[in-house]
Amino acid sequence: MQKQNCMTMPTKGVMTVSNNNADVVKGIKSIAKEVYDKVTKKKAPSIKMPIRALNNVKYNPKIGFFELVGKMKERTLSASTVKTFAQSLLMMNESKKIVETDDIATKREMYYISKNWGDAMFNEQPESDTVMDDIEAMMMTNREQLGFIPEEKGGDVAGKLVVIDRDPDTGKEIKIDCTKFGSGAYSVPSSVEHLKFNTDAKFILAIETAGMFQRLVKHNYWKKANCILVSMGGVPTRACRRFIRRLADDMKIPVYVFTDGDPYGYLNIYRTLKVGSGNAAHINTFFCVPQAQFIGVTPQDVLDYKLPTHPLKDVDLKRIKDGVKNDPFVQSHKEWQKALDLMVKMKKRVEQQAFAKHSLNFVIDKYLPEKLKNQKSWLP
Amino acid sequence: MQKQNCMTMPTKGVMTVSNNNADVVKGIKSIAKEVYDKVTKKKAPSIKMPIRALNNVKYNPKIGFFELVGKMKERTLSASTVKTFAQSLLMMNESKKIVETDDIATKREMYYISKNWGDAMFNEQPESDTVMDDIEAMMMTNREQLGFIPEEKGGDVAGKLVVIDRDPDTGKEIKIDCTKFGSGAYSVPSSVEHLKFNTDAKFILAIETAGMFQRLVKHNYWKKANCILVSMGGVPTRACRRFIRRLADDMKIPVYVFTDGDPYGYLNIYRTLKVGSGNAAHINTFFCVPQAQFIGVTPQDVLDYKLPTHPLKDVDLKRIKDGVKNDPFVQSHKEWQKALDLMVKMKKRVEQQAFAKHSLNFVIDKYLPEKLKNQKSWLP
């Protein structure tokens, strides 16, 4: 296993593990050596990895994300596992090459690389994706650190932030000032492991819809509120979550989340951002944002701000019921249970744009300033 | 109707119409005055707009986009039309206010504004969207010029381009240098009407997937090829199409398109970018990119580059059949008919990432340079 360096600990037990390229290569070599040694001793080699499922996670609000509880699976080389075993080692070899040459590969590209592996070739991309997940879990790292980047991009950013990247050709530092994009924004790359930051902003505001983000950008809201705006565009991608997490950790600033007031905004977008998800428990430690707090739109806001609403759909009611019954996150927070109860009683959901009823910029002039002052109105 | 200024004519018959704010306000006032005059003369006022449907368009490859053929509908004030009539006028009034204050509103926000209109209030957003489409068609403009912006953002950009925006507070020019974002990119705003450009790039390369875009950015491909990279992220949004169109017109540079080699890439992504769509025919003149040319991945590339493929699905075959039978764009281009025929014969589709079989950067070192040199291998 590679060396793990604990860098910052914003919340008890949450670590940012930094693998520089040398560490990754070292980790891969060490696993390969173990396998090689067993084989030369004519023993069956095996590789161990944590089981990735909801029944292998626990949630402790103080730690702040779904953690693995330690059930492991072991893949021992045998007639039936020989192909997957070979594929795992071949993919680790690719990862080593990619990291050593400071290159990147998407999941799709990794699948096509295997077309040169003869009998070990993947027939379908899902096979290749599963092996990648296994390696990620085995190395206890996130696959971006192994050089494998997501297909999707990572959200948009505007406001009081300087991102420090480097020129791919020269390696020279590049400073990207996110106050200088006019009505546009900085688009976060697919992998953010190498980025550094500089900011004196007071907080990060993570926003569900591109439309609301555009309004706040258009009116330079980040200047008034001294903050960094991030557009998640629905459920945030891996890169977007990792970007917010690394930024919040490194700069030690809080994260406030602003979504539609519906079960999708609460239990998909916000919950995924804050604590992660069950089937990806082995990487929650990298992607969760335990310091996130929910500022709105809450069910109580519907009453307080007399907002126009839509009726809850059956799928909304089902999602709430599921959440209350099965989601360790909801079960750990009475405030969320109360909020969801109120929503069920009202039978109403509300959109971020509903404030436009009062006036187009009510959200900037009244709602956000009032909510930010009144921490009691937030949800955990 | 507002004054229309023909600005540039990159292809015969294609005009970029510029409405500055004063022109929009003038146009709205003129329609309102007509209605007012009729009412004061106790005559029934009416408003006219083009019919928005495939049977009201034609396609001439020389002009390069689906054009309206002129069928109009007229909405005369009567007992049955009184509510929609009032809503149209009220929404035009909102547009006037938004444009005069240099603000913006999304479709969703426009719907909520109507909650103050008493009996004329919209009950569902689709009603509000339809009235907005009507006004857009009636004014022969795109709704972004009326202050109404899309919910979605507009694609990512990297490379040899300076975008000139202005500070929302001071109105001062902001120059955004798209060579300076490291592994990140410039995220195009929801509305691009106000942007200006400066570039000496030789072409724009519009790319389907975020993963391929990230590879080209990671390796500074824009520097080697002296070009501008645009990530469309699937079917390009309105803002992305309009951005490419305005950039290509203003800077007089060609547009090359690089998508997966499948019917979705050809007939949805590329066709929509180049000629627009039937049910939005009244705005194709603003959003189409008639100068676009398709460089790959073509069915012939599968053979020439010995690419790994996937079998065509039933939905792919259906889309090809529909296209050949009903799509005026396919019917006008023998080259596309031949390419689709070859695809059906091979029963294969191919992804942009398939080049990774040869090596991760084959696409940069071999494929793109070879294709760009060999115009005969492109599709129109």
Side-chain angles (χ1 to χ4, degrees):
Chain A
M1 286 294 132
Q2 81 278 27
K3 214 173 70 190
Q4 296 191 350
N5 303 317
C6 302
M7 272 180 49
T8 56
M9 301 187 59
T11 306
K12 193 171 161 278
V14 180
M15 304 175 199
T16 303
V17 178
S18 158
N19 293 312
N20 64 32
N21 291 358
D23 285 336
V24 169
V25 171
K26 210 168 138 190
I28 291 172
K29 279 186 176 170
S30 135
I31 295 172
K33 187 171 184 311
E34 247 177 73
V35 171
Y36 181 81
D37 287 350
K38 284 231 174 157
V39 171
T40 50
K41 285 176 194 154
K42 301 208 170 157
K43 284 183 186 163
S46 63
I47 44 184
K48 262 191 196 172
M49 56 204 82
I51 291 170
R52 303 190 310 274
L54 253 183
N55 64 13
N56 195 26
V57 306
K58 64 175 179 189
Y59 177 64
N60 176 346
K62 281 184 191 150
I63 287 182
F65 63 94
F66 286 170
E67 290 175 293
L68 285 169
V69 294
K71 290 177 203 158
M72 302 289 278
K73 65 176 175 184
E74 190 163 355
R75 183 175 293 154
T76 304
L77 181 59
S78 71
S80 68
T81 63
V82 64
K83 189 171 171 186
T84 329
F85 204 93
Q87 287 168 332
S88 303
L89 295 175
L90 283 162
M91 195 184 285
M92 284 164 61
N93 185 42
E94 284 305 326
S95 165
K96 181 170 160 285
K97 283 195 278 181
I98 292 165
V99 168
E100 282 174 342
T101 55
D102 189 29
D103 208 334
I104 47 175
T106 64
K107 288 168 102 168
R108 242 201 206 186
E109 286 173 328
M110 188 56 242
Y111 161 74
Y112 284 111
I113 289 173
S114 83
K115 295 296 174 188
N116 295 309
W117 291 352
D119 289 343
M121 171 195 302
F122 295 110
N123 294 315
E124 302 284 347
Q125 200 190 318
E127 299 170 22
S128 163
D129 292 351
T130 304
V131 169
M132 193 179 288
D133 286 347
D134 281 348
I135 294 176
E136 186 176 54
M138 181 171 55
M139 310 244 332
M140 290 300 275
T141 184
N142 54 325
R143 63 171 187 263
E144 286 80 357
Q145 302 198 31
L146 303 171
F148 299 127
I149 65 162
E151 305 288 342
E152 337 84 45
K153 57 173 299 281
D156 290 340
V157 178
K160 290 281 189 71
L161 172 67
V162 173
V163 177
I164 302 161
D165 200 340
R166 40 173 211 251
D167 184 284
D169 284 345
T170 63
K172 248 182 79 177
E173 266 195 3
I174 294 181
K175 289 190 180 177
I176 301 155
D177 184 346
C178 299
T179 65
K180 305 252 187 259
F181 285 92
S183 54
Y186 167 68
S187 175
V188 175
S190 309
S191 176
V192 302
E193 301 303 328
H194 59 294
L195 300 181
K196 293 177 200 163
F197 308 105
N198 195 356
T199 184
D200 57 1
K202 281 195 296 183
F203 61 93
I204 301 165
L205 184 64
I207 301 147
E208 174 175 349
T209 64
M212 179 56 73
F213 176 77
Q214 191 72 63
R215 168 159 306 287
L216 300 186
V217 169
K218 168 85 185 176
H219 292 277
N220 277 353
Y221 172 74
W222 50 265
K223 207 184 270 181
K224 297 174 185 86
N226 190 19
C227 70
I228 300 163
L229 304 172
V230 180
S231 172
M232 299 186 286
V235 176
T237 60
R238 285 169 70 104
C240 184
R241 292 157 61 196
R242 182 79 175 138
F243 179 85
I244 295 174
R245 164 65 182 280
R246 291 206 52 230
L247 176 58
D249 275 10
D250 287 4
M251 297 288 107
K252 298 194 172 44
I253 45 177
V255 177
Y256 305 137
V257 182
F258 179 26
T259 71
D260 284 344
D262 58 25
Y264 189 78
Y266 300 159
L267 301 180
N268 293 55
I269 296 173
Y270 176 67
R271 198 278 243 131
T272 302
L273 180 73
K274 177 158 178 146
V275 301
S277 61
N279 60 4
H282 61 296
I283 49 167
N284 286 338
T285 183
F286 304 104
F287 291 96
C288 66
V289 182
Q291 56 271 72
Q293 291 172 283
F294 189 83
I295 63 163
V297 186
T298 65
Q300 187 61 41
D301 289 338
V302 174
L303 305 171
D304 294 348
Y305 290 93
K306 297 187 178 56
L307 297 176
T309 56
H310 294 284
L312 279 186
K313 292 180 218 157
D314 288 347
V315 60
D316 294 321
L317 286 165
K318 192 180 166 302
R319 193 169 272 146
I320 294 176
K321 222 174 143 182
D322 278 0
V324 172
K325 201 175 155 198
N326 300 318
D327 192 328
F329 172 70
V330 177
Q331 287 165 344
S332 300
H333 293 292
K334 276 203 183 133
E335 296 92 329
W336 272 112
Q337 292 160 27
K338 271 190 206 162
L340 293 171
D341 277 353
L342 176 58
M343 174 168 262
V344 170
K345 258 178 221 146
M346 297 196 299
K347 295 196 178 73
K348 283 171 184 170
R349 64 190 173 86
V350 63
E351 294 177 334
Q352 287 194 295
Q353 283 75 4
F355 300 100
K357 178 198 149 192
H358 299 306
S359 74
L360 270 176
N361 290 311
F362 184 89
V363 67
I364 292 176
D365 301 332
K366 292 279 286 180
Y367 178 70
L368 285 174
E370 284 181 8
K371 288 292 284 195
L372 287 168
K373 260 187 224 154
N374 183 11
Q375 188 161 355
K376 279 188 193 153
S377 71
W378 304 353
L379 290 167
Chain B
M1 285 295 134
Q2 81 278 26
K3 213 172 74 190
Q4 297 191 347
N5 302 318
C6 303
M7 272 180 49
T8 56
M9 301 186 60
T11 305
K12 192 170 162 277
V14 181
M15 305 176 199
T16 303
V17 178
S18 158
N19 293 311
N20 64 34
N21 291 357
D23 285 337
V24 169
V25 171
K26 209 167 139 191
I28 291 172
K29 279 186 177 169
S30 136
I31 295 172
K33 187 171 183 309
E34 248 177 72
V35 171
Y36 181 81
D37 287 349
K38 284 233 174 153
V39 171
T40 51
K41 285 175 193 155
K42 302 210 167 153
K43 284 182 184 163
S46 64
I47 45 185
K48 263 190 195 172
M49 57 205 81
I51 291 171
R52 304 191 309 274
L54 253 183
N55 65 12
N56 195 26
V57 306
K58 64 175 179 190
Y59 177 64
N60 177 345
K62 281 186 192 151
I63 287 182
F65 62 94
F66 286 171
E67 289 175 293
L68 285 169
V69 294
K71 290 177 201 158
M72 302 289 279
K73 66 176 174 181
E74 190 162 356
R75 184 175 291 154
T76 304
L77 182 59
S78 70
S80 68
T81 64
V82 63
K83 189 171 170 185
T84 329
F85 203 94
Q87 287 168 332
S88 304
L89 295 175
L90 283 162
M91 194 183 286
M92 285 166 61
N93 185 42
E94 285 304 326
S95 164
K96 181 171 161 285
K97 283 195 278 183
I98 291 165
V99 167
E100 282 174 343
T101 56
D102 189 28
D103 207 334
I104 47 175
T106 63
K107 288 167 103 170
R108 241 200 206 186
E109 286 174 327
M110 187 57 242
Y111 161 73
Y112 284 110
I113 289 172
S114 84
K115 295 296 175 188
N116 295 309
W117 290 352
D119 290 343
M121 170 195 304
F122 295 111
N123 294 315
E124 303 284 347
Q125 199 189 320
E127 299 170 21
S128 163
D129 292 351
T130 304
V131 169
M132 193 179 289
D133 287 347
D134 281 348
I135 294 176
E136 186 176 54
M138 181 171 56
M139 308 246 330
M140 291 299 277
T141 184
N142 54 325
R143 64 171 186 262
E144 287 80 357
Q145 302 198 30
L146 303 170
F148 298 127
I149 65 162
E151 306 289 343
E152 336 83 47
K153 59 172 298 281
D156 289 341
V157 178
K160 289 279 188 75
L161 173 68
V162 173
V163 177
I164 302 161
D165 200 340
R166 38 173 211 252
D167 184 284
D169 285 346
T170 63
K172 248 182 78 177
E173 267 194 3
I174 294 181
K175 288 190 180 176
I176 301 155
D177 183 346
C178 299
T179 65
K180 304 253 187 253
F181 298 130
S183 55
Y186 167 67
S187 174
V188 175
S190 310
S191 176
V192 302
E193 301 303 327
H194 60 293
L195 300 181
K196 292 177 202 164
F197 309 105
N198 196 354
T199 184
D200 57 2
K202 280 195 296 183
F203 62 92
I204 300 165
L205 184 64
I207 301 146
E208 174 175 348
T209 64
M212 180 55 73
F213 175 79
Q214 191 73 61
R215 168 159 306 286
L216 300 185
V217 169
K218 168 86 186 177
H219 293 276
N220 278 353
Y221 173 74
W222 50 265
K223 207 185 269 183
K224 298 174 185 83
N226 190 19
C227 72
I228 300 163
L229 304 172
V230 180
S231 172
M232 298 186 287
V235 175
T237 60
R238 285 171 70 105
C240 184
R241 293 157 60 196
R242 183 78 175 138
F243 179 86
I244 295 174
R245 166 64 183 279
R246 290 206 53 232
L247 175 58
D249 276 11
D250 287 6
M251 297 288 107
K252 299 193 173 45
I253 46 177
V255 177
Y256 305 137
V257 182
F258 179 26
T259 72
D260 284 344
D262 59 24
Y264 189 77
Y266 300 158
L267 301 180
N268 293 55
I269 296 174
Y270 176 68
R271 197 277 243 132
T272 302
L273 179 73
K274 177 156 178 147
V275 301
S277 63
N279 60 4
H282 61 296
I283 50 168
N284 286 339
T285 183
F286 304 103
F287 291 96
C288 67
V289 182
Q291 54 271 72
Q293 290 171 285
F294 190 83
I295 62 163
V297 187
T298 65
Q300 186 62 41
D301 289 337
V302 174
L303 305 171
D304 295 347
Y305 291 92
K306 298 187 177 55
L307 297 176
T309 56
H310 295 283
L312 279 186
K313 292 180 217 156
D314 288 347
V315 60
D316 293 323
L317 287 166
K318 193 181 166 299
R319 194 170 273 147
I320 294 176
K321 220 174 146 185
D322 277 1
V324 172
K325 200 176 157 198
N326 300 317
D327 192 327
F329 172 69
V330 177
Q331 288 164 343
S332 300
H333 294 292
K334 277 204 181 131
E335 296 91 330
W336 272 111
Q337 291 160 28
K338 272 189 205 162
L340 293 171
D341 277 353
L342 176 57
M343 174 168 264
V344 170
K345 258 179 220 144
M346 297 195 301
K347 295 197 178 76
K348 284 172 183 169
R349 62 188 174 86
V350 62
E351 294 177 333
Q352 286 193 298
Q353 282 76 5
F355 301 100
K357 178 197 149 191
H358 299 306
S359 73
L360 270 176
N361 291 311
F362 184 89
V363 68
I364 292 176
D365 301 331
K366 292 279 284 181
Y367 178 71
L368 285 174
E370 285 181 8
K371 289 292 285 194
L372 287 167
K373 261 187 223 154
N374 182 10
Q375 188 162 356
K376 277 187 194 155
S377 72
W378 305 351
L379 290 167

